[in-house]
Amino acid sequence: MKALSLLGSTGSIGAQTLDVVRGLNAAGAEPCTVAVLAAHSNVPLLERQAREFRPQAVTLFDPAAAKDFKDRTRDLSIPVFSGIEGLCRAAAWETADVVLNAVVGMVGLRPTLAALGAKKPVALANKETLVAGGELVTRAARENHVPLLPVDSEHSAIFQCLRGNECSQVKRLLLTASGGPFFGKTREELANVTPEMALRHPNWSMGAKVTIDSATMMNKGLEVMEARWLFDLPVEKIQVVVHRESIVHSMVEYADNGVIAQLGAPDMRLPIQYALTYPNRLPCPAPELDLFQVGSLSFFPPDTEAFPCLSIAVEALRRGGLAPAAVNAANEQAVAAFLQGRIGFLEIPELAAGAAARQPDCSGADSLDAVLEADRAARQYVETQLNGR
Ligand code: NDP
Ligand code: MG
C-alpha cells in the first residue's frame, strides 16, 4: 500500500491523480492511500476530496480558506495547515511514500525541496520548480538518494524511451509540442488574441496558466529547461518538434540514429500513473490509442518568429545561472496580467525577455535565497512596467 501526499489536489493534474488513485484501488494491483491533500483556496472541492479519501491532514495555502475548511469539516477531525509552512509540512509528511507536486508556479519549489530533504520520491508536474531551481532540486535528489519522477507528458515519454538504454548513447531528445491554438498564425495575427481564444487548447484540458503557456509556446521553453535538468543533457541536445496531433508524446534519438517514441491518447492520467507505479505498467483510466482513427501524424519545426517565448527560454537556459528563474517569474506575472486583460498577448514575451535582460548575475542558482531574490526582482520588474503605462 503506497501513501501519497498530493500537492495541488484541486487542480487539473490533482483531480486526474485522484482518478488514477481510484482506478488503482479498484483494480487492487497497487492500492494507494492519500496521506495529505493540499490546495490554495478551493474549499468546496477539497472538502469533497477529503470526505472521499480521508487524508491524515490537509493544507490550504490561504489562511482564511484553511479556517473555513476547518469550520465545515469539524466532524472529520482532520488537522488543517496553511501558508508555505503548511505546504512544506505536507510535502515532508512522515507517512507519505511519494509526493506528487501538482501546484502551479514557483511556489512549488520549497515544497519540492522539503520532500526531497525528507527522502521522499517526488513525482513532479510542477515544472516551474525545475525551471527556477533545477540545480538545487537535482542536487537535493542526488544527495538524498531519491528519484524525481516526471509527470509532464513529454518528460514521462522521454523517461519511458530511455528505459533499457544508456544515457551516454543519446544523440538528441525530440520534445514534441502541439503548437497550441494559434499554430500557423503570424505575429501580426497574434496581436489581438484574447484570453478566451488563448484558453481554447485543441488537444489538452489543463489549468489556465499552462494553457496560456501553451498558446505562447513558453510552455515548450519551460519544458526544454525541465528536460535539461531531469535528463542532465545540454540544451544543444534538445530539439523541439511541433506535432499537431499530440499522439507522439516525445522521442529519443540514439547514436545509431534509431529513434524511440512513446505514443498514447492525449490524456495525463497515463504519465501520472506511470510516475506512481514505476517501474510497473498497470491498467489505466486513460483511453486506448486508436491509430486508425488518428490516421496520420505530422511534424513541423517551431516558428520562433511568431512564438518568441521559446527562444527567450532557450536563450536563458544557455546563459544559465538565474536567467531561467527570471524568465519564469516574469512569465508567471505576465500570464496573470494577460488573463486579467491588463496586457496584450505579445507583451508576454516582451516582459519575459526584459526581465531576463535585467538579471545581471548569472551565477548563484545553487542558492535558494538567490533564486528567490531573482524571482522577486523579475516580478517587481513586470509590476513596474505595468504600472508605468
Ligand atoms: P491548475 O491551475 O488546474 O491547478 C493548480 C493547483 O495548484 C490547484 O490545486 C491550486 O489550488 C493549487 N495551488 C495554486 N497555488 C497554490 C499555493 N500557493 N499553495 C498550494 N496550492 C496551490 O494547474 P494544473 O493542474 O493545470 O497544473 C499544475 C502543474 O502541472 C503546473 O506546473 C503545470 O505546468 C503542470 N502541468 C499540467 C498539465 C495539465 O495537463 N494540466 C500537463 C503538464 C504539466 P486551488 O484550486 O485551491 O487554487
Ligand atoms: Mg507537457
Side-chain angles (χ1 to χ4, degrees):
M1 184 74 84
K2 205 176 247 179
L4 172 67
S5 168
L6 177 54
L7 314 183
S9 66
T10 52
S12 160
I13 294 287
Q16 293 180 87
T17 302
L18 291 174
D19 210 20
V20 165
V21 168
R22 284 185 197 101
L24 290 173
N25 288 339
E30 275 202 30
C32 196
T33 61
V34 176
V36 200
L37 291 171
H40 179 271
S41 51
N42 188 342
V43 174
L45 181 53
L46 192 68
E47 180 182 349
R48 283 204 298 283
Q49 294 177 342
R51 290 192 183 280
E52 179 180 351
F53 290 94
R54 300 296 167 127
Q56 294 160 13
V58 306
T59 284
L60 282 145
F61 194 86
D62 175 29
K67 185 178 173 310
D68 185 20
F69 182 92
K70 215 177 220 165
D71 291 341
R72 291 165 62 144
T73 58
R74 292 213 178 277
D75 57 309
L76 296 179
S77 311
I78 302 178
V80 183
F81 307 113
S82 68
I84 188 71
E85 302 75 25
L87 204 51
C88 290
R89 197 163 167 173
W93 196 254
E94 202 183 344
T95 58
D97 300 305
V98 59
V99 178
L100 195 144
N101 186 349
V103 304
V104 61
M106 162 72 177
V107 70
L109 176 59
R110 274 184 284 187
T112 298
L113 293 172
L116 296 171
K119 301 199 183 298
K120 311 283 179 192
V122 175
L124 196 60
N126 175 239
K127 61 191 85 184
E128 296 89 350
T129 277
L130 278 175
V131 170
E135 199 167 332
L136 286 169
V137 170
T138 49
R139 189 179 65 204
R142 255 192 329 271
E143 287 176 358
N144 290 290
H145 308 287
V146 279
L148 277 174
L149 298 152
V151 169
D152 212 346
S153 56
E154 296 78 1
H155 305 75
S156 173
I158 291 167
F159 184 58
Q160 294 174 58
C161 297
L162 286 169
R163 279 198 69 190
N165 292 298
E166 291 295 326
C167 267
S168 60
Q169 292 164 5
V170 170
K171 198 166 169 186
R172 281 191 305 175
L173 304 181
L174 300 166
L175 197 67
T176 53
S178 71
F182 304 136
F183 172 77
K185 288 209 186 303
T186 62
R187 214 177 139 65
E188 293 68 46
E189 288 169 332
L190 291 174
N192 294 318
V193 303
T194 62
E196 200 201 359
M197 290 155 79
L199 283 170
R200 243 180 270 133
H201 196 282
N203 302 346
W204 299 95
S205 160
M206 311 180 284
K209 196 257 175 183
V210 61
T211 306
I212 301 301
D213 285 347
S214 298
T216 61
M217 287 199 78
M218 180 60 91
N219 184 49
K220 216 43 59 177
L222 301 180
E223 289 185 354
V224 170
M225 304 201 209
E226 193 184 2
R228 181 261 171 270
W229 290 109
L230 279 173
F231 307 113
D232 195 20
L233 285 168
V235 58
E236 293 73 29
K237 289 194 172 188
I238 307 170
Q239 168 75 56
V240 172
V241 178
V242 176
H243 164 54
R244 293 295 287 155
E245 297 82 9
S246 297
I247 297 295
V248 176
H249 296 307
S250 277
M251 300 167 264
V252 179
E253 182 180 41
Y254 287 92
D256 57 3
N257 294 334
V259 177
I260 300 188
Q262 188 259 334
L263 283 72
D267 189 310
M268 286 306 296
R269 290 173 297 182
L270 172 55
I272 291 168
Q273 177 169 302
Y274 192 65
L276 294 179
T277 64
Y278 168 81
N280 292 327
R281 306 195 76 112
L282 300 171
C284 179
E288 271 181 10
L289 175 60
D290 183 344
L291 280 173
F292 298 123
Q293 200 187 343
V294 174
S296 58
L297 301 173
S298 57
F299 302 95
F300 305 90
D303 178 354
T304 50
E305 169 99 19
F307 300 95
C309 282
L310 178 57
S311 314
I312 292 165
V314 167
E315 178 52 29
L317 182 57
R318 282 213 174 90
R319 274 179 68 200
L322 297 165
V327 167
N328 179 64
N331 180 60
E332 278 188 32
Q333 292 293 101
V335 168
F338 172 69
L339 285 170
Q340 291 158 5
R342 293 171 73 195
I343 62 170
F345 190 73
L346 294 180
E347 285 172 277
I348 300 174
E350 270 171 32
L351 290 165
R358 272 156 198 78
Q359 176 55 55
D361 181 9
C362 274
S363 61
D366 55 349
S367 140
L368 179 60
D369 285 345
V371 170
L372 296 176
E373 174 52 26
D375 179 88
R376 192 203 57 74
R379 286 174 201 270
Q380 192 181 353
Y381 162 76
V382 172
E383 278 315 307
T384 308
Q385 293 296 107
L386 295 185
N387 294 332
R389 292 160 1 134

